[in-house]
Amino acid sequence: MSDTQHTPGPWKVTIDGYKGDELHVSVCVDDPNVPPGAVADLIAAAPELLAALQGVLDVEPPLLSAKERKAYAAVRAAIAKATGGKP
């Protein structure tokens, strides 16, 4: 197993519905190698990860190598996926 401590993607979202004012989302892990709570830790960090990626685009330099352009494109794609296509 790699150093990855969460269930590798792609993931699918299952909405359990609202309970009071809270939206409940299910996470099912079918991999005994994934430590308990690792997926929850990744989900809990999602807002900070999104903000960090958005911050990367705020300082995008004007001249990039082909490898850097590919990395910035991946950052933009991840942001779009996380925000429903919104920049």
Side-chain angles (χ1 to χ4, degrees):
M1 187 173 136
S2 71
D3 289 341
T4 301
Q5 294 296 306
H6 61 83
T7 304
W11 293 5
K12 295 191 183 203
V13 175
T14 301
I15 305 297
D16 287 344
Y18 285 91
K19 297 181 180 157
D21 290 340
E22 298 177 343
L23 175 64
H24 287 244
V25 178
S26 293
V27 177
C28 299
V29 178
D30 196 21
D31 183 342
N33 296 314
V34 176
V39 174
D41 292 343
L42 182 60
I43 291 169
E48 290 87 0
L49 292 168
L50 177 58
L53 288 175
Q54 290 168 326
V56 166
L57 293 184
D58 288 342
V59 296
E60 183 175 353
L63 300 174
L64 300 172
S65 69
K67 186 176 181 179
E68 291 167 331
R69 283 193 301 275
K70 186 175 180 180
Y72 274 91
V75 167
R76 284 190 289 277
I79 291 170
K81 186 174 183 179
T83 60
K86 300 177 207 121

